[in-house]
Amino acid sequence: MLTPHEDVVSRAQELSELDTLLGVAASGAAQCAVLEGPHGIGKTALCEAFAARHPELAVRRAEASAWEHGLRGGILAQLGVLPAYSADAGPTEDSWGRDTDQPSWLPAGRAALEALSRLAANGPALVVLDAIEHADTLSLEALAYAVRRVHDPLVVLATHGPAGSVPGSPAAAFADAVRARRIVLDPLAPEALRELAAARAKVDLTPEATQALWRVSRGNPALALEALANGAESIGAEGLAAHGPRAVVPSVVPSVAARAAAALARLPPGARALVEAVSVLGGTPTGAVAAQLAGLPEGNAEALLAAADAAWSAGLLECRTVAGTLQLTIRDPLLRDAVEEALGPAERAALHTRAAELAGSTRDRLRHLVAAAVMPDAGLAAEADRLAAEEAGEGDWSAVADALVAASQLHVDPALREDRLLRAAEAMVGAGDLPRATPLARRIESLPQSAARDAVLAYYAIHKGHARRAGALLARAWETRAPLGSTDLAARIAQYRVLDSLAEWDIPALLDWTETAVRLAGPDSTAGVEARAMLGLGLGSAGRLAEARAAYEELAATPALGARDQRLHLGRGWLALGVDELDEARLELRAAITSARSPGSLRITLWAYAWLARAEFSVGRWDEALAAARTGITLNAPVGMDLLAPILHFTAAQIHALRGDSAEAAEQSRLAQPGPEAYPVMHLAGALAAAAVAESLGDYAGVLRAFEPIVRMDRSQGIDAPGFWPWQDVYANALVMTGRIDDADAFLRPLEAAARSAEHRSTIARLGYVRGRILGAQGSLDDAVACFEGALAALDGLPLPYNTARGRFAYGQTLRRFGRRRDATEVLAAARDAFAGVGAQVYVARCERELQAAGTGIFRTAPHYQRGQHQVGQYPAAQHPGAQYPGTQQPGAPHRGGHDPGAPHPAQAPETGSSSGPSVPAFTAQETAVARLVAAGLSNRDAARELFVSVKTVQYHLTRIYAKLGIGSRAELAAVYRPPADESSATNSS
């Protein structure tokens, strides 16, 4: 999303952090943030965007440069902080004086303090210090002294590159001294690069061109713009596939090649040879292997260290010692490609040939031999085929793809080259590497129709979420296969039908195709293992839980699973999540996530992150759930696996919505919406995301609209099976809230019967609280109470705090509307505490309103609080005023469905302010302590540590504080909160 400063894309989170910092500074305590990242990542642009966002700020800027590093007071001079000197003598580098009784920087520090205090005396001020890794030490010491002592609204933003993070450097010492907030700018995702291209280069990139731009810029905005200026969008995915990023980088991002050439030219011969050797070896080779390839004196540790030190000082190599072994790497992949590309063809081939002799594995040996080859080689192609078969047996599809690509280039026979190309594309999809598979899929489209061609294109279409295309291709592939031909191809088609059935959530078809795939491929084959990993999930969804568990036990006993056990962990974890075994689900899903150094499939890892996020959400660990969803989203951004993107964004949308971050929730919901040709599982996740956002706003008519595509689906093949897609209670609840009581009743009845038959406790509970609402709306209080109590009992012992809180909230609302105020208060207070425990601030506020309406004294109304010229009340504005609770409308009053019944009409909000002016809200002692610490800038964790309470306790009190002040953020709290006089005096005296 573009910010007001068009150079800045997708930095909303960072700008929000800076806004919070400004809010804290408004309380009279100077704040500092350090923006970290490589050159071109957008540090300066972010500072400028922040300044443009706040035109009320008085701004001063200073920029350090490498050649002025030795100029004492250079940064201070740019800020207008100059030493006093007589008219007869100008300043010299010693003009600040050298009092031996004081630190040499103290006079400069006092002058800086005076200047900064004067700058911020009449209003908030911003100081931007760019590239402080090059700043002179005196300026940094003086500014650190000053910032720590300024008691006016001042924000200092400093930026630095990787060199500024080195412990003990002046830049790092400055950041530590001022307790700066550290903000690391990550590379932009492909979609953000697309926005950048549209805003700055006026180019509308295709998805494939966007991926190509990301691969040659690695998400660095400056490099992306440079690449666009040099025609990167015209290269496209096909060009990258044909030539590789290494060959393309010098032409489209020449600054990287120039930086590499300049750095290499300054190195002594041994250091240069070492860097070139590391670029050829790739990864993180040991110093001994790199030295041997570079031709350094054998066994001479001093020569190796001298060369490594020179390369490290030039910023080309990263060096570390692990278990007594020196390890070397070129961290920046663009720089690594530029270094290798700068080698001549003969020299590069010679280095790869020698590297093959030093390789410690068949895979590495073959990789180097292929890189050294300059023409087809049948023998080497056969070796690549053998390696592909071995890696397939281990389930390492990325390695399979590499080997098959090599084989397709080395085979002399065109038919063999075509076959290896098809299989390489399959392996890339299996590994989750869709960007590499995309150009191959285009080439495969041009091949004559065959069952093998259609199978590969269908496999790709499934992961892109193109349901109709995938189904048609698979049907044709199955029909046109040779009945007496290769069972391997037939097994692969059947395996892809399993995945297609899973995305359709057609459980009978999934079970049938699983049986076919296992029969054709054999149970222990790669295709058989993947099919069996989904078998247990299908059996569990069909209500055959004992068979599902037995199937997974049998699969776990399969010998030599290797990396293929990733599929087993995913299937087991997904099944456990669906049947309320949350601890097992979390353990299995974590086990399905592979690290970058472990063999396995990114495709499976992404699925595991999607369901791990749901599992963590279910048990109330929402920070962890959001982290899992964000990690999955980040990993998927350059991959583009559209099939599972809605599930990842659903969790993010739901958490942001329940926390009251409506803007981010709406954005995540937008990203969760699939296209019209999408699979049912994509539509389900998209509908759940949209419904979560609408429900958080009290827009129950919007909830119904979100689920319209699901209601129209054929759900008879498993979508409504208890536990796996819990949308039904949200939809039924919206029917009740919009007055459609009979429709809700009819919708629930078959679902309740299925849940009871399956003895699925969480589904019984979720549907039970809606049944309680229906009974309450029908006037049957005793039956409603029994229903609510039964629903809560079904959840007893299950770690489902949010589900429990939802049930209690509905229960308490029903009791209150029947006049059972004291009972309602007890139930609503428990719901409020449970919502606060998981951070569902939207529902905490609704519980508070319900408790106030109950009038039993547990809720203390906060009077209006004046902030500037804006009147801030306790209640947020109702989204849809005038709604009544179903079943309790006034006679003759038209029902206005679609509003949270807990939200009062603005006209009904009590006037709690007095004519004499604003009053201070009534805080408890605990709330006062939390407000004081958070307003001073402490995080929830730090405040909890200070008060010796849990983080959830701080979150709970903070939610109540926000409600009482009528605010919604930490920045607003810092701006409006002032401690009581007695607390201030006590603080000052301590």
Side-chain angles (χ1 to χ4, degrees):
M1 180 171 59
L2 288 173
T3 69
H5 195 274
E6 69 167 12
D7 288 2
V8 182
V9 176
S10 290
R11 299 299 188 198
Q13 176 67 31
E14 290 82 357
L15 284 170
S16 178
E17 289 188 54
L18 297 181
D19 286 342
T20 300
L21 207 67
L22 179 59
V24 175
S27 65
Q31 300 294 310
C32 182
V34 172
L35 311 182
E36 301 179 16
H39 175 72
I41 202 66
K43 303 183 294 293
T44 303
L46 181 60
C47 293
E48 295 302 321
F50 178 68
R53 187 178 172 116
H54 295 282
E56 74 279 8
L57 295 175
V59 183
R60 296 289 183 274
R61 297 174 176 85
E63 180 179 1
S65 60
W67 53 85
E68 291 185 354
H69 177 71
L71 180 62
R72 298 182 76 242
I75 293 297
L76 293 175
Q78 291 186 53
L79 296 174
V81 181
L82 298 169
Y85 58 91
S86 68
D88 298 330
T92 69
E93 68 173 17
D94 295 322
S95 297
W96 287 109
R98 294 185 179 278
D99 189 332
T100 57
D101 295 332
Q102 298 176 337
S104 61
W105 46 260
L106 186 56
R110 288 170 174 162
L113 175 58
E114 180 182 352
L116 295 183
S117 298
R118 187 167 56 249
L119 177 66
N122 297 320
L126 170 67
V127 173
V128 178
L129 307 175
D130 219 349
I132 62 171
E133 70 270 33
H134 300 310
D136 63 285
T137 303
L138 173 67
S139 290
L140 292 180
E141 291 173 335
L143 288 169
Y145 171 88
V147 170
R148 289 159 57 94
R149 288 162 176 79
V150 171
H151 298 294
D152 293 299
L154 174 69
V155 173
V156 177
L157 298 185
T159 75
H160 67 66
S165 302
V166 177
S169 67
F174 169 79
D176 291 340
V178 298
R179 297 181 181 178
R181 180 173 299 187
R182 186 168 171 259
I183 300 176
V184 179
L185 299 192
D186 294 321
L188 297 183
E191 185 58 32
L193 286 185
R194 189 175 185 179
E195 292 182 31
L196 182 69
R200 295 294 308 283
K202 310 304 179 187
V203 175
D204 184 14
L205 296 179
T206 65
E208 291 76 17
T210 302
Q211 292 291 345
L213 180 63
W214 190 90
R215 292 185 69 185
V216 298
S217 68
R218 296 291 170 170
N220 184 297
L223 294 180
L225 293 173
E226 180 185 356
L228 287 169
N230 288 293
E233 75 276 9
S234 64
I235 295 172
E238 287 83 357
L240 280 174
H243 305 291
R246 191 197 74 212
V248 171
V249 164
S251 62
V252 296
V253 280
S255 66
V256 175
R259 177 160 56 96
L264 287 171
R266 291 192 296 268
L267 293 178
R272 176 169 185 152
L274 185 66
V275 173
E276 291 170 343
V278 172
S279 76
V280 166
L281 290 167
T284 307
T286 64
V289 171
Q292 194 171 352
L293 182 60
L296 296 181
E298 186 175 354
N300 191 327
E302 289 185 4
L304 171 59
L305 290 174
D309 189 66
W312 174 80
S313 299
L316 289 172
L317 282 187
E318 290 188 17
C319 314
R320 61 177 181 172
T321 302
V322 178
T325 301
L326 179 64
Q327 295 183 342
L328 308 174
T329 188
I330 303 175
R331 186 68 61 190
D332 184 347
L334 297 179
L335 189 63
R336 182 177 64 244
D337 290 342
V339 171
E340 185 177 357
E341 185 61 19
L343 296 167
E347 185 180 6
R348 186 164 56 246
L351 282 172
H352 277 293
T353 300
R354 291 207 301 272
E357 298 169 359
L358 300 173
S361 68
T362 302
R363 181 191 302 181
D364 285 341
R365 174 179 171 276
L366 182 64
R367 175 171 63 86
H368 289 299
L369 289 177
V370 170
V374 294
M375 60 182 62
D377 183 327
L380 194 55
E383 191 172 345
D385 286 338
R386 287 193 295 273
L387 177 63
E390 292 172 7
E391 299 293 358
E394 293 294 322
D396 190 345
W397 291 109
S398 181
V400 173
D402 290 340
L404 289 172
V405 166
S408 72
Q409 296 168 345
L410 293 167
H411 271 297
V412 178
D413 186 341
L416 291 177
R417 296 176 70 170
E418 180 181 307
D419 176 76
R420 300 311 185 262
L421 182 71
L422 289 170
R423 289 170 53 194
E426 280 183 300
M428 289 172 188
V429 176
D433 194 352
L434 266 62
R436 285 180 71 197
T438 297
L440 291 188
R442 286 220 177 104
R443 291 171 61 186
I444 292 167
E445 288 271 13
S446 64
L447 298 177
Q449 191 277 327
S450 68
R453 167 192 177 275
D454 287 349
V456 173
L457 294 176
Y459 193 34
Y460 177 80
I462 290 170
H463 289 86
K464 294 300 290 183
H466 301 157
R468 184 175 299 178
R469 173 171 168 76
L473 285 166
L474 284 171
R476 189 168 68 178
W478 186 254
E479 292 169 1
T480 58
R481 78 194 191 286
L484 301 179
S486 169
T487 58
D488 177 63
L489 174 59
R492 296 205 311 273
I493 297 172
Q495 177 197 340
Y496 302 156
R497 294 302 297 254
V498 172
L499 184 57
D500 179 69
S501 301
L502 179 69
E504 293 280 359
W505 209 257
D506 184 343
I507 300 306
L510 183 149
L511 295 175
D512 288 345
W513 282 111
T514 297
E515 180 183 350
T516 301
V518 172
R519 175 173 50 81
L520 290 170
D524 297 342
S525 68
T526 299
V529 167
E530 182 142 348
R532 290 166 67 197
M534 293 297 100
L535 173 62
L537 182 65
L539 291 169
S541 182
R544 297 156 61 181
L545 188 56
E547 294 177 65
R549 288 173 172 150
Y552 280 133
E553 289 299 325
E554 184 180 347
L555 178 57
T558 299
L561 270 180
R564 297 179 298 174
D565 69 349
Q566 188 186 17
R567 279 83 170 159
L568 170 63
H569 290 304
L570 173 64
R572 268 182 163 170
W574 194 346
L575 173 64
L577 175 62
V579 299
D580 294 337
E581 295 171 355
L582 281 308
D583 289 339
E584 180 180 351
R586 292 164 60 217
L587 287 172
E588 292 287 354
L589 291 168
R590 285 173 185 157
I593 295 172
T594 60
S595 68
R597 299 188 178 189
S598 303
S601 169
L602 175 60
R603 173 174 63 96
I604 305 299
T605 292
L606 289 170
W607 277 108
Y609 272 120
W611 295 117
L612 178 61
R614 296 310 307 162
E616 298 288 12
F617 176 88
S618 297
V619 300
R621 293 165 55 90
W622 288 6
D623 286 342
E624 289 80 0
L626 195 56
R630 284 174 174 164
T631 302
I633 290 168
T634 300
L635 288 174
N636 193 38
V639 172
M641 195 177 297
D642 298 335
L643 176 61
L644 59 79
I647 304 172
L648 290 162
H649 288 291
F650 159 43
T651 299
Q654 186 175 27
I655 293 174
H656 284 297
L658 290 169
R659 287 178 168 177
D661 186 354
S662 56
E664 183 62 23
E667 175 64 10
Q668 293 296 325
S669 175
R670 182 187 69 81
L671 294 170
Q673 302 312 308
E677 299 297 320
Y679 279 102
V681 296
M682 300 166 70
H683 285 296
L684 279 161
L688 283 162
V693 174
E695 189 178 64
S696 72
L697 300 173
D699 179 11
Y700 291 98
V703 174
L704 298 180
R705 287 193 299 273
F707 284 127
E708 281 178 5
I710 312 305
V711 174
R712 292 196 301 265
M713 277 183 189
D714 175 11
R715 307 192 306 278
S716 63
Q717 303 305 310
I719 286 175
D720 282 341
F724 288 90
W725 294 102
W727 69 281
Q728 302 89 349
D729 63 304
V730 183
Y731 176 73
N733 184 63
L735 289 174
V736 175
M737 292 301 180
T738 51
R740 296 170 57 182
I741 308 302
D742 292 342
D743 290 342
D745 175 60
F747 177 77
L748 275 191
R749 288 188 182 278
L751 300 171
E752 291 171 315
R756 287 192 299 269
S757 175
E759 299 181 351
H760 197 282
R761 291 167 60 189
S762 68
T763 303
I764 290 171
R766 289 186 296 98
L767 301 180
Y769 88 78
V770 183
R771 175 60 64 186
R773 282 196 186 276
I774 293 173
L775 292 169
Q778 293 171 339
S780 303
L781 179 60
D782 290 343
D783 291 339
V785 168
C787 196
F788 282 122
E789 291 289 348
L792 292 173
L795 291 173
D796 188 35
L798 292 178
L800 297 170
Y802 176 64
N803 284 1
T804 302
R806 281 178 68 91
R808 285 177 174 152
F809 178 63
Y811 189 7
Q813 282 187 314
T814 303
L815 289 172
R816 188 183 72 77
R817 282 158 178 75
F818 275 92
R820 299 261 300 264
R821 294 188 301 168
R822 191 164 298 279
D823 291 337
T825 295
E826 181 180 348
V827 175
L828 287 166
R832 177 199 60 196
D833 293 347
F835 281 130
V838 295
Q841 296 176 358
V842 166
Y843 275 97
V844 170
R846 291 180 185 177
C847 288
E848 297 282 13
R849 294 196 293 268
E850 290 286 337
L851 287 166
Q852 184 202 18
T856 56
I858 193 169
F859 180 88
R860 295 193 295 169
T861 301
H864 281 62
Y865 188 77
Q866 190 79 22
R867 182 183 55 174
Q869 297 181 355
H870 301 282
Q871 191 78 4
V872 181
Q874 177 186 346
Y875 304 104
Q879 307 290 343
H880 303 273
Q884 305 265 350
Y885 186 78
T888 62
Q889 298 176 218
Q890 297 300 319
H895 179 79
R896 295 184 178 182
H899 174 56
D900 167 27
H905 190 288
Q908 299 171 343
E911 293 295 333
T912 53
S914 65
S915 58
S916 60
S919 56
V920 178
F923 283 171
T924 65
Q926 294 92 338
E927 290 166 355
T928 299
V930 170
R932 172 176 57 82
L933 294 173
V934 173
L938 271 70
S939 67
N940 288 1
R941 188 174 301 278
D942 290 339
R945 189 180 297 114
E946 183 81 11
L947 298 172
F948 296 97
V949 297
S950 70
V951 174
K952 287 186 176 180
T953 298
V954 171
Q955 292 170 340
Y956 166 68
H957 289 309
L958 199 55
T959 300
R960 289 179 58 87
I961 290 164
Y962 287 169
K964 290 182 177 184
L965 294 179
I967 61 177
S969 71
R970 306 169 75 88
E972 290 180 289
L973 177 62
V976 304
Y977 179 75
R978 295 294 182 276
D982 55 345
E983 183 192 337
S984 297
S985 60
T987 302
N988 293 336
S989 64
S990 59

